Amino acid sequence: MAFELPDLPYAHDALAAKGMSRETLEYHHDLHHKAYVDNGNKLIAGTEWDGKSLEEIIVGTYDKGAVAQNGIFNNISQLWNHNQFWEMMGPGGNAMPGELEKALAGSFGSVDEFKAQFAAAGAGQFGSGWCWLVRDSDGSLKVTKTENGVNPVCFGQTALLGCDVWEHSYYIDFRNKRPAYLSNFLDNLVNWENVASRM
């Protein structure tokens, strides 16, 4: 069964007042995300991966020893990443639940320190990629960064929060100011209730 492009969980202009414009969402969701869906479906058609879950395909096609990943992995992992990304943001849910605040403070010293580490990971990711808050297999919370479409599924981690630092995610609204985009993401766009639900 072919994968489908999920609808955004909010209107295209719902995040505009918070720093992510309608134009960005039209390009990012309707064109970029759709391309990953379409290309991924074409690449897995008739292969051993046809009918498998996104997670099964990601784990099965990821090559930890490769600098450049294969086409199936690149498209399917980016499909998964974006499915999560839209859910991790929203026009509401911007107040951080107490249990999440406590967990972040316990792991990083404070929420502000978590945000600083997360923003530094995103700003320091050379080229395209993502930064993440993950729950590792031992239950600990960590900030990580990955290149291109690589994601926490590859490492047996649970993604609690992810931010896309490919230029198509921020260039319309922030031009080349990736640190400003990351600060705005953390301060205005994250749906902290969704993050807490992933714990």
Side-chain angles (χ1 to χ4, degrees), residues 124-197:
Q125 173 55 44
F126 182 75
S128 300
W130 293 74
C131 54
W132 305 93
L133 168 66
V134 303
R135 189 178 72 242
D136 214 340
S137 54
D138 63 2
S140 63
L141 300 186
K142 295 178 180 176
V143 166
T144 65
K145 61 183 179 180
T146 57
E147 71 279 2
N148 301 317
V150 177
N151 62 46
V153 174
C154 302
F155 312 108
Q157 300 166 327
T158 300
L160 305 180
L161 178 64
C163 187
D164 187 346
V165 295
W166 287 60
E167 284 192 341
H168 63 237
S169 189
Y170 60 88
Y171 209 85
I172 290 170
D173 300 315
F174 291 90
R175 295 299 185 250
N176 65 337
K177 297 179 176 65
R178 189 191 286 183
Y181 157 75
L182 285 158
S183 293
N184 184 71
F185 174 79
L186 289 166
D187 292 341
N188 299 312
L189 290 169
V190 175
N191 180 342
W192 295 109
E193 292 174 3
N194 180 272
V195 177
S197 74

Side-chain angles (χ1 to χ4, degrees), residues 28 51 55 65 75-76 116 120 140 148 172:
H28 198 170
E55 291 81 3
N75 284 278
I76 295 299
S140 63
N148 301 317
I172 290 170

Side-chain angles (χ1 to χ4, degrees), residues 46-60:
T47 73
E48 64 184 295
W49 305 111
D50 204 347
K52 302 285 189 183
S53 70
L54 292 175
E55 291 81 3
E56 287 173 319
I57 299 170
I58 289 167
V59 170

Side-chain angles (χ1 to χ4, degrees), residues 43-95:
L43 288 167
I44 66 172
T47 73
E48 64 184 295
W49 305 111
D50 204 347
K52 302 285 189 183
S53 70
L54 292 175
E55 291 81 3
E56 287 173 319
I57 299 170
I58 289 167
V59 170
T61 60
Y62 176 62
D63 182 353
K64 65 181 180 180
V67 174
Q69 298 296 319
N70 59 79
I72 290 178
F73 175 86
N74 287 336
N75 284 278
I76 295 299
S77 65
Q78 280 287 75
L79 195 172
W80 185 93
N81 290 350
H82 287 82
N83 286 355
Q84 312 308 310
F85 187 52
W86 309 128
E87 299 286 344
M88 292 168 171
M89 296 186 290
N94 302 113

